[in-house]
Amino acid sequence: MSSSHDRAIANILKAASTSHFDVLQLPRPHADLIDKPVWECTDEEIGRAFRKRSLACHPDKSTHPDAPRAFEILKKAKICLLNPLTRHDYLVDYLRREKTAWEGKWGSAES
């Protein structure tokens, strides 16, 4: 097992606590002027990102003990972002969490 695969698996596991975008190393969405989510990744880009990242942790290719868990995280991110309904809900929720975190930082900076 190469150390690059070990790092890739560690990065996937770490990114799981942030977002599906980070798991798949895709750009994060942003809100437009009326707070609607804007995310310009295609299904093909999601699929390519999944395939590229899965090379390091596919259970048939890797003997790393955390590979199955990392692969499941990748699959969950791909499934969520490829389905238009779950993707929209995820984008809205992600932007709401980001806005809340940003406002919290702004409020603490004022005090």
Side-chain angles (χ1 to χ4, degrees), residues 5-77:
H5 285 189
D6 292 346
R7 280 192 307 275
I9 290 170
N11 288 339
I12 291 167
L13 296 174
K14 182 179 175 185
S17 65
T18 57
S19 72
H20 292 330
F21 314 109
D22 293 341
V23 166
L24 293 170
Q25 291 186 334
L26 293 168
R28 293 178 180 185
H30 63 278
D32 65 9
L33 294 174
I34 56 172
D35 277 342
K36 286 192 175 184
V38 177
W39 192 56
E40 299 170 354
C41 280
T42 65
D43 290 353
E44 291 79 23
E45 290 170 317
I46 296 167
R48 275 195 304 271
F50 171 79
R51 283 188 299 279
K52 181 179 178 183
R53 303 280 285 159
S54 69
L55 292 174
C57 64
H58 193 283
D60 291 343
K61 305 284 183 191
S62 177
T63 58
H64 191 284
D66 289 327
R69 188 164 57 115
F71 189 70
E72 286 302 314
I73 291 167
L74 280 175
K75 283 193 330 188
K76 181 180 174 184

